[in-house]
C-alpha cells in the first residue's frame, strides 16, 4: 500500500539556518504530494503541493520538488525564522476527489533565536 | 473568508457519556473528512462523506459515528467515550471537482478530554 517516510525529528536549528526535511514515498501511479504544517494547538494548514513529476511547490519561502525518479518530495527553506517552529507533515493523495491523505509521521521543527 | 469551522475548540466529557463534535464549512466542498490525532502522531482518518455517501475506514471503532445533514455541516458522535478516545479531532474538506488533484482544508480541531 501507499506510504510516506519522513525524516525523524525533532529538528532544532538556529534562526537564518538552511532547512531540509526529507520525505520519500511509496505509491503506484502518480500521486499528488503535499506538505502540511501544524502550529501548536492548531489544525493542519496546507503549505505547498505538487501534482506531477518535476513540479515545484512553493509558499512562504518553502519549496519542494516532486522527484519521481527518487520518489522524493523534500522540503527546503533557505533561511528559517522563529515563527517557522511547528510540526511538518508530508502526505500523498491519489486524487480524484475523495481519496484519503496518507501522512508521514511528522517532523517537529524548533528554531532558536 | 471561506473556511472550515469546528466547535467547540475544547470539549470535556465523562467516561461513557456521549459527545458530539461539529464541523461546518463555507467552501461548498462536497467531501468532508474526520480525523483523530493523538499526541505526537499523524492524523488518522476515521471516515469521510463523498456528498451523502458515507465511507468508513476499516479500523474505525463502532463507537464512532457521523452524520452529514447537509453540504455545510458534519458531526462526529462518540457514543461511549473511553479514556483512549482523548485526542484532537480534525475536520477537513475537499472538492471532487478539481480534476482529481484535491487538497484538503482543515479546521482548527476540537481537543477532547475524557475524565
Amino acid at each position: 500500500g501507499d506510504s510516506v517516510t519522513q525524516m525523524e525529528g525533532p529538528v532544532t536549528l538556529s534562526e537564518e539556518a538552511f532547512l531540509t526535511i526529507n520525505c520519500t514515498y511509496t505509491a503506484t501511479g502518480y500521486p499528488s504530494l503535499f506538505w502540511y504544517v501544524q502550529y501548536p494547538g492548531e489544525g493542519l494548514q496546507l503549505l505547498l503541493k505538487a501534482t506531477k513529476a518535476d513540479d515545484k511547490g512553493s509558499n512562504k519561502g518553502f519549496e519542494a520538488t516532486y522527484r519521481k525518479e527518487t520518489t522524493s518530495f523534500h522540503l527546503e527553506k533557505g533561511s528559517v525564522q522563529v515563527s517557522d517552529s511547528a510540526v511538518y507533515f508530508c502526505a500523498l493523495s491519489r486524487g480524484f476527489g475523495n481519496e484519503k491523505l496518507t501522512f508521514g509521521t511528522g517532523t517537529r521543527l524548533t528554531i532558536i533565536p | 473568508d471561506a473556511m472550515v469551522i469546528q466547535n467547540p475548540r475544547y470539549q470535556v466529557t465523562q467516561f461513557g457519556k456521549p459527545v458530539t463534535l461539529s464541523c461546518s464549512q463555507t467552501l461548498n466542498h462536497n467531501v468532508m473528512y474526520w480525523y483523530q490525532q493523538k499526541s505526537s502522531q499523524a492524523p488518522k482518518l476515521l471516515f469521510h462523506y463523498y456528498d451523502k455517501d458515507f465511507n468508513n475506514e476499516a479500523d474505525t471503532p463502532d463507537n464512532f459515528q457521523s452524520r452529514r445533514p447537509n453540504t455545510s455541516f458534519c458531526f462526529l458522535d462518540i457514543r461511549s467515550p473511553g479514556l483512549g478516545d482523548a485526542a484532537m479531532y480534525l475536520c477537513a474538506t475537499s472538492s471532487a471537482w478539481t480534476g482529481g488533484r484535491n487538497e484538503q482544508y482543515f479546521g482548527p480541531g476540537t481537543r477532547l478530554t475524557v475524565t
Side-chain angles (χ1 to χ4, degrees):
Chain A
D2 298 344
S3 67
V4 175
T5 302
Q6 259 182 263
M7 176 176 174
E8 289 286 331
V11 174
T12 302
L13 294 173
S14 298
E15 204 166 20
E16 300 183 1
F18 184 86
L19 168 71
T20 300
I21 301 178
N22 289 338
C23 171
T24 58
Y25 68 91
T26 301
T28 56
Y30 299 89
S32 293
L33 301 174
F34 307 90
W35 277 101
Y36 281 87
V37 58
Q38 186 173 33
Y39 298 101
E42 299 293 326
L44 277 68
Q45 298 176 25
L46 178 66
L47 182 58
L48 53 85
K49 68 175 182 179
T51 59
K52 61 182 187 296
D54 300 325
D55 266 3
K56 177 185 283 188
S58 62
N59 186 26
K60 299 181 181 179
F62 291 89
E63 293 183 342
T65 301
Y66 190 141
R67 301 286 189 199
K68 187 156 180 66
E69 64 275 15
T70 55
T71 62
S72 66
F73 193 55
H74 305 321
L75 183 68
E76 296 181 336
K77 186 176 185 181
S79 177
V80 293
Q81 306 300 313
V82 172
S83 57
D84 295 326
S85 299
V87 180
Y88 292 80
F89 290 96
C90 185
L92 70 81
S93 169
R94 291 186 169 277
F96 301 102
N98 63 344
E99 296 290 342
K100 66 180 182 181
L101 286 169
T102 299
F103 286 97
T105 52
T107 302
R108 181 174 299 277
L109 174 67
T110 302
I111 308 301
I112 53 178
Chain B
D1 287 343
M3 55 176 49
V4 182
I5 302 161
Q6 290 189 244
N7 286 305
R9 292 292 308 275
Y10 301 91
Q11 175 73 57
V12 180
T13 191
Q14 294 177 342
F15 182 94
K17 184 175 181 181
V19 65
T20 295
L21 309 181
S22 74
C23 176
S24 64
Q25 53 123 343
T26 60
L27 296 162
N28 202 31
H29 284 170
N30 62 324
V31 191
M32 294 186 76
Y33 309 78
W34 279 104
Y35 290 86
Q36 179 192 63
Q37 186 181 27
K38 296 189 175 180
S39 182
S40 301
Q41 296 183 20
K44 177 180 179 297
L45 183 65
L46 296 174
F47 26 60
H48 74 276
Y49 275 93
Y50 187 115
D51 293 322
K52 294 182 179 180
D53 293 333
F54 178 71
N55 298 271
N56 200 27
E57 293 299 299
D59 57 353
T60 298
D62 292 341
N63 197 28
F64 291 86
Q65 304 285 317
S66 186
R67 296 169 283 134
R68 189 180 186 186
N70 55 53
T71 300
S72 301
F73 284 87
C74 195
F75 300 98
L76 170 63
D77 300 309
I78 308 177
R79 294 193 294 189
S80 182
L83 297 179
D85 297 328
M88 174 81 89
Y89 289 88
L90 298 168
C91 175
T93 72
S94 70
S95 171
W97 315 119
T98 55
R101 298 301 181 183
N102 65 306
E103 60 255 31
Q104 293 184 19
Y105 294 83
F106 284 80
T110 294
R111 181 162 298 283
L112 178 68
T113 300
V114 181
T115 61

